[in-house]
């Protein structure tokens, strides 16, 4: 993010479906606490080291999510979203192309399974 003053910084994308769902499940006070923690994490991420490693073509191994891990994650997300009135169809549509579910070969099938589509 670029501030009006031209200062560049990273921050949590609150419109990311996973973050938005998580925040919606929290009280206002919990949301404030979470966002304060997110600011601390954003400020302490080792950007210079990451940039240096990327420049040297050092990358972390590609992350993949196996079916069991995806199922646990999907169940957690469904529990959060079900209480907010999200339909199973909308849930699948919302999360199937969003990481980490998009990193799982059977991600869409697992989302349908846990939401009973």
């Amino acid at each position: 993010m670029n501030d009006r003053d031209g200062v560049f910084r990273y921050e949590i994308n609150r419109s990311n479906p996973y973050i938005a769902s998580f925040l919606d499940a929290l009280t206002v006070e919990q949301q404030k606490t979470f966002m304060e923690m997110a600011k601390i994490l954003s400020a302490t991420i080792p950007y210079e080291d990451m940039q240096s490693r990327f420049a040297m073509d050092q990358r972390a191994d590609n992350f993949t999510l196996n079916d069991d891990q995806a199922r646990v994650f999907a169940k957690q997300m469904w529990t959060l979203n079900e209480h907010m009135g999200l339909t199973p169809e909308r849930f699948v549509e919302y999360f199937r192309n969003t990481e980490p579910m998009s990193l799982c070969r059977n991600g869409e099938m697992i989302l349908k399974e846990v939401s009973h589509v």
Side-chain angles (χ1 to χ4, degrees):
M1 168 172 276
N2 284 318
D3 286 343
R4 292 181 200 162
D5 301 329
V7 175
F8 178 79
R9 72 177 191 284
Y10 289 97
E11 66 179 41
I12 301 295
N13 178 1
R14 295 179 77 157
S15 64
N16 175 290
Y18 299 113
I19 301 297
S21 293
F22 177 73
L23 288 172
D24 287 344
L26 300 177
T27 65
V28 172
E29 190 60 38
Q30 290 170 327
Q31 288 177 17
K32 288 178 187 176
T33 301
F34 173 78
M35 292 311 295
E36 287 302 315
M37 179 56 66
K39 285 180 188 176
I40 292 168
L41 291 172
S42 294
T44 60
I45 290 176
Y47 300 111
E48 291 83 10
D49 180 59
M50 291 167 54
Q51 183 179 21
S52 174
R53 289 176 187 271
F54 289 153
M56 293 185 298
D57 204 25
Q58 280 187 318
R59 304 258 193 268
D61 290 337
N62 287 340
F63 176 78
T64 57
L65 202 62
N66 68 40
D67 287 358
D68 291 334
Q69 293 167 320
R71 195 168 282 105
V72 168
F73 182 79
K75 285 178 182 178
Q76 292 169 339
M77 292 311 298
W78 174 242
T79 299
L80 282 173
N81 286 277
E82 186 179 29
H83 294 296
M84 293 182 289
L86 196 63
T87 66
E89 293 80 10
R90 182 73 178 123
F91 172 76
V92 172
E93 180 183 323
Y94 201 53
F95 290 101
R96 70 178 176 199
N97 294 319
T98 306
E99 290 182 5
M101 292 306 294
S102 64
L103 301 174
C104 179
R105 183 178 328 138
N106 299 313
E108 186 172 350
M109 178 193 73
I110 291 168
L111 289 167
K112 289 178 179 179
E113 172 190 314
V114 302
S115 63
H116 309 291
V117 171

